[in-house]
Amino acid sequence: TDRKKLHTAPVGQVFRLRPFHVLVATGGGYAGYKKYENYKLEQLEKRGIEVPVKLASEWEVALYKSVPTRLLSRAWGRLNQVELPTWLRKPVYSLYIWTFGVNMKEAAVEDLHHYRNLSEFFRRKLKPQARPVCCVHSVISPSDGKILNFGQVKNCEVEQVKGVTYSLESFLGPRISTEEVHFSQAPSGNSFQQQLVTKEGNELYHCVIYLAPGDYHCFHSPTDWTVSHRRHFPGSLMSVNPGVARWIKELFCHNERVVLTGDWKHGFFSLTAVGATNVGSIRIYFDQDLHTNSPSYSKGSYNDFSFISNNNKEGIPMRKGEHLGEFNLGSTIVLIFEAPKDFKFNLKAGQKIRFGEALGSL
């Protein structure tokens, strides 16, 4: 007959389960299940019902980290760069606006057809009057977001959310050589926290701000300070959603992050941009050598870069409210700084805040 012969192969050759496929499928499914559980916990909290802290075990963290979030984030980043046809831009952006509650009336350019791709839309600028910078208080919010936690650093531990902490030294890394002049005032036997405090009578404070996908994605200088050093930690890109932050201890120490350290009028000051799923790209405007979410890295590694040189002996001066950097999607910013004991935060845990609003003052 004229019928063509159909050649078939054994089922085992057509579809062969590999350990990697099983691991990814299992890890992805479990991560989705935990996301749903976290959503239910958030709903209970909104009703005022206190939920006990339940931390992930080591195997749960390992399983979550087995999901190739870095690869997925790079793929998402490339997808964001694809130019959309003009006719498709408004439907795609409108869906995002509706899903995450974006206020486009604040955008410098409200016309959705202006944004050629998702990346441009995520990094949209605001109208100058949309975020007035507070001139009265000494520290302002560097970004839009939700306040997860704030207060004094105690016992070298920082709270990422209420009841869940991480190590200050693990988060910032070992002492920086360019800061030895500050540390020399403290005996070598002092704790890492005490070594950061440069002036007698001061305390160390922290503030954690979570940027949701619908928030303004740029971040600014929270005060007048000088940036002297950058430390980049390659790492995982797990979600930093408050539900996950409540579940995984030292989540911020696992994830990729960029730590900027320097000085302000009261001593030590640092701002850390923490990466997350689909936020592999962290950009610091004055740091052209920074490249985040590279395909490979050594576990536990980090790289340092000093902004102090023969030509620039003080570092990078930043004014309060000045543009500092940007994320490609929502993430987290952690401020850790030294201030006198009478420094007071003007915040409530869980409140929404916008760039330019006061965090605290003396």
Side-chain angles (χ1 to χ4, degrees):
T1 65
D2 294 334
R3 294 180 181 178
K4 295 181 179 179
K5 292 182 179 181
L6 178 65
H7 295 278
T8 61
V11 175
Q13 294 180 17
V14 175
F15 180 75
R16 182 177 299 170
L17 280 176
R18 300 175 186 271
F20 176 75
H21 297 153
V22 175
L23 194 62
V24 169
T26 306
Y30 188 76
Y33 167 71
K34 291 305 299 183
K35 281 267 191 181
Y36 175 67
E37 275 200 342
N38 292 330
Y39 169 77
K40 291 195 298 182
L41 291 176
E42 287 178 5
Q43 297 305 307
L44 291 174
E45 285 189 345
K46 287 180 179 179
R47 297 176 191 171
I49 302 172
E50 189 171 346
V51 181
V53 176
K54 183 181 179 182
L55 295 176
S57 62
E58 289 186 9
W59 72 266
E60 287 177 312
V61 175
L63 185 60
Y64 188 4
K65 292 174 77 172
S66 71
V67 179
T69 52
R70 293 178 63 85
L71 177 62
L72 294 173
S73 297
R74 284 195 297 275
W76 175 254
R78 291 181 181 178
L79 180 63
N80 288 348
Q81 299 292 334
V82 175
E83 185 169 341
L84 297 176
T86 305
W87 62 269
L88 188 59
R89 294 175 189 176
K90 189 171 182 179
V92 170
Y93 302 147
S94 296
L95 177 61
Y96 186 91
I97 290 168
W98 177 78
T99 303
F100 297 108
V102 178
N103 184 4
M104 284 302 294
K105 291 183 178 180
E106 298 177 331
V109 180
E110 296 184 39
D111 182 12
L112 298 180
H113 295 101
H114 169 80
Y115 303 100
R116 294 174 298 176
N117 51 48
L118 284 167
S119 181
E120 285 189 3
F121 179 72
F122 293 147
R123 295 181 287 107
R124 64 192 176 277
K125 304 301 180 184
L126 298 181
K127 295 174 181 175
Q129 67 273 20
R131 297 289 187 275
V133 175
C134 176
C135 299
V136 178
H137 295 79
S138 55
V139 184
I140 63 168
S141 176
S143 67
D144 289 4
K146 179 181 180 181
I147 301 295
L148 294 190
N149 217 297
F150 62 92
Q152 282 190 20
V153 177
K154 298 179 180 178
N155 301 321
C156 295
E157 292 282 322
V158 185
E159 281 194 313
Q160 58 192 30
V161 293
K162 186 178 180 180
V164 181
T165 63
Y166 55 94
S167 164
L168 179 64
E169 187 169 5
S170 297
F171 182 67
L172 295 178
R175 297 190 311 183
I176 298 167
S177 58
T178 57
E179 294 177 358
E180 288 297 333
V181 62
H182 303 314
F183 292 122
S184 63
Q185 299 174 7
S188 58
N190 283 7
S191 68
F192 183 81
Q193 176 180 336
Q194 292 171 322
Q195 292 169 3
L196 291 180
V197 178
T198 65
K199 298 180 180 179
E200 188 176 353
N202 281 2
E203 296 287 348
L204 207 60
Y205 297 86
H206 73 98
C207 183
V208 183
I209 305 170
Y210 167 69
L211 288 75
D215 287 328
Y216 170 53
H217 287 61
C218 297
F219 51 93
H220 301 245
S221 177
T223 192
D224 295 335
W225 65 308
T226 302
V227 184
S228 59
H229 188 272
R230 178 258 292 162
R231 175 168 283 165
H232 172 216
F233 291 85
S236 301
L237 287 174
M238 295 183 283
S239 171
V240 292
N241 180 282
V244 179
R246 189 184 298 107
W247 179 52
I248 298 180
K249 183 178 173 64
E250 298 203 332
L251 171 65
F252 299 156
C253 297
H254 289 292
N255 273 16
E256 182 157 8
R257 59 198 182 277
V258 176
V259 183
L260 300 178
T261 56
D263 298 276
W264 72 317
K265 60 183 178 181
H266 298 298
F268 173 81
F269 198 96
S270 72
L271 180 149
T272 302
V274 183
T277 308
N278 295 336
V279 196
S281 175
I282 301 171
R283 183 182 173 193
I284 305 298
Y285 293 138
F286 58 75
D287 188 355
Q288 302 301 317
D289 295 322
L290 175 65
H291 299 286
T292 56
N293 196 14
S294 54
S296 61
Y297 71 97
S298 300
K299 184 178 179 180
S301 66
Y302 61 85
N303 57 77
D304 289 334
F305 184 86
S306 175
F307 298 109
I308 297 176
S309 62
N310 293 331
N311 297 327
N312 180 12
K313 295 185 178 181
E314 294 189 359
I316 308 294
M318 296 296 301
R319 302 294 296 175
K320 183 168 64 175
E322 187 178 351
H323 278 84
L324 182 55
E326 63 188 34
F327 294 110
N328 267 356
L329 203 61
S331 192
T332 297
I333 288 178
V334 180
L335 301 179
I336 298 174
F337 57 92
E338 173 186 358
K341 292 182 178 180
D342 55 350
F343 181 88
K344 300 293 182 184
F345 283 102
N346 303 317
L347 302 171
K348 292 182 180 179
Q351 78 171 72
K352 291 288 291 182
I353 197 166
R354 304 201 305 176
F355 155 62
E357 295 179 345
L359 288 183
S361 190
L362 298 172

